[in-house]
Amino acid sequence: MTQDAGRTRPAATLEMVAALAGVSRATVSRVVNESPSVDPELAQSVKRAILALDYTPNRAARSLAKRRANAVTLIVPESTSKVFADPFFASVVQGIALYLADTDYTLNMVISSESKPGKTRSFLLGGNVDGVLVVSHHSGDHSWTHLSDSLPMVFAGRPLIGGMESYYVEVDNEQAAYSATRQLTDSGRKHVATVAGPQDMPPGLDRLAGWRTAVREAGLDDSLVEVGDFTLASGARAMHRLLDRGMPIDAVFAGNDQMAAGAYTAIQGRGLRIPEDIAVVGFDDDSFATSVTPALTTVHHPIVELGKKMAETLVSLIEGRPTDRVTVLPTSLVIRESV
């Protein structure tokens, strides 16, 4: 007998099955646990890999995996000051809480910085929660990539992360921004600027793209762009930069209502009138839209419903029920006095 013949073949692992099937570890786990939420073709690929590798599930681990903490965590990778100043986050939490009220799950919230993700990962992987909701995700937030292999995750908006099977709920930001900008161009505005959101976040990218398509269709200048970070102060700074260019501006589309309110302070501080001199349209339809004068025309973003649908999707994943990987909610344009 040769030395190789006497060796015992190492037991196949979940990771080996995932690699052979070309899927995530989480998908293999769901197939092993007979979850109906996996696409049938993917499930067959996993089963073929299991047979090829002679993989035997660890029944003790499977039993442990089915124990639940009856808790989910909302992760917001932003600063505390930003979270509590932005009504978007309060509305998302409201929606999540409304859905969870009729379930056995409780909600906790982690405001986490990407600079120190270890503490958050340890908490989430320590058996404290059954699933994760992520809001306000940035392209640099790579720590969530590994968590998705161990816990069900649902994002607000498509995550800018490759190589992971993502579940998310969003609105069509690009189309909504396009429609908002068309409201300006169709009304005769010829110099339409934008205060865009962060370009490392899908809403910032998509709303800028929608604005750009609309102004190009109208044959207008698409260079009137300044970027903010979705805060009031950044909207004011961006609007000042636009005005300082000395180029004609008769309208502005802001990537959210906070930045629109900031743009108001810059416009009115220069002695210009809204909408007579510069029309303004925002995005979200939150408390900032009705606290400014004149009241802001804006895209209604169903944020509470977004939170509810995120929670519903996550609970379905936790409990092994079929659910859509992507949900797109409708928006509408609310016309007020700023156009």
Side-chain angles (χ1 to χ4, degrees), residues 18-19 22-27 30 137 139 142 144-150 153 155 158-168 325:
V23 299
S24 70
R25 184 183 185 280
T27 297
R30 286 196 286 273
H137 177 265
S139 60
H142 298 300
W144 320 125
T145 306
H146 304 296
L147 288 179
S148 67
D149 289 341
S150 304
M153 300 186 71
F155 290 80
R158 76 182 192 283
L160 295 177
I161 297 176
M164 64 180 289
E165 186 182 40
S166 303
Y167 287 79
Y168 58 91
R325 192 176 69 83

Side-chain angles (χ1 to χ4, degrees), residues 19-268:
L20 182 59
V23 299
S24 70
R25 184 183 185 280
T27 297
V28 176
S29 179
R30 286 196 286 273
V31 173
V32 168
N33 287 291
E34 300 176 355
S35 167
S37 66
V38 181
D39 179 84
E41 290 187 10
L42 284 180
Q44 285 302 316
S45 296
V46 171
K47 290 174 181 177
R48 285 194 294 270
I50 288 172
L51 289 173
L53 294 171
D54 194 23
Y55 171 69
T56 303
N58 184 320
R59 296 192 179 278
R62 286 179 62 184
S63 177
L64 183 63
K66 291 184 177 180
R67 291 171 54 189
R68 295 191 183 128
N70 286 338
V72 299
T73 291
L74 171 64
I75 296 179
V76 186
E78 299 284 3
S79 67
T80 303
S81 59
K82 188 172 183 180
V83 170
F84 287 101
D86 191 338
F88 173 85
F89 298 110
S91 295
V92 170
V93 171
Q94 180 184 359
I96 295 169
L98 283 170
Y99 181 81
L100 294 181
D102 293 327
T103 73
D104 293 329
Y105 297 90
T106 59
L107 173 68
N108 54 60
M109 181 174 177
V110 174
I111 301 174
S112 175
S113 168
E114 179 66 15
S115 62
K116 295 182 178 179
K119 182 177 180 181
T120 300
R121 281 204 303 267
S122 296
F123 170 73
L124 295 174
L125 297 176
N128 302 293
V129 300
D130 301 311
V132 180
L133 301 161
V134 182
V135 175
S136 197
H137 177 265
H138 297 256
S139 60
D141 298 331
H142 298 300
S143 56
W144 320 125
T145 306
H146 304 296
L147 288 179
S148 67
D149 289 341
S150 304
L151 285 169
M153 300 186 71
V154 177
F155 290 80
R158 76 182 192 283
L160 295 177
I161 297 176
M164 64 180 289
E165 186 182 40
S166 303
Y167 287 79
Y168 58 91
V169 182
E170 66 173 359
V171 297
D172 189 336
N173 286 288
E174 185 169 351
Q175 178 60 39
Y178 170 84
S179 298
T181 307
R182 281 295 302 265
Q183 172 69 28
L184 296 168
T185 61
D186 289 350
S187 67
R189 304 288 173 160
K190 300 299 184 184
H191 308 283
V192 182
T194 186
V195 175
Q199 296 301 286
D200 64 346
M201 301 179 70
L205 289 166
D206 293 348
R207 294 173 195 176
L208 175 59
W211 168 86
R212 183 163 278 127
T213 299
V215 295
R216 285 177 175 174
E217 281 186 2
L220 307 183
D221 182 6
D222 68 350
S223 70
L224 295 173
V225 181
E226 290 290 343
V227 176
D229 64 3
F230 285 145
T231 63
L232 183 74
S234 76
R237 291 191 297 266
M239 193 69 225
H240 277 300
R241 292 195 297 271
L242 286 166
L243 295 170
D244 287 344
R245 295 187 186 188
M247 300 171 67
I249 295 174
D250 60 9
V252 60
F253 166 65
N256 76 339
D257 290 348
Q258 276 200 77
M259 293 195 300
Y264 266 51
T265 64
I267 292 167
Q268 294 168 334

Side-chain angles (χ1 to χ4, degrees), residues 276-288:
E276 291 85 356
D277 298 314
I278 299 180
V280 183
V281 175
F283 200 113
D284 277 344
D285 195 22
D286 62 26
S287 57
F288 282 89

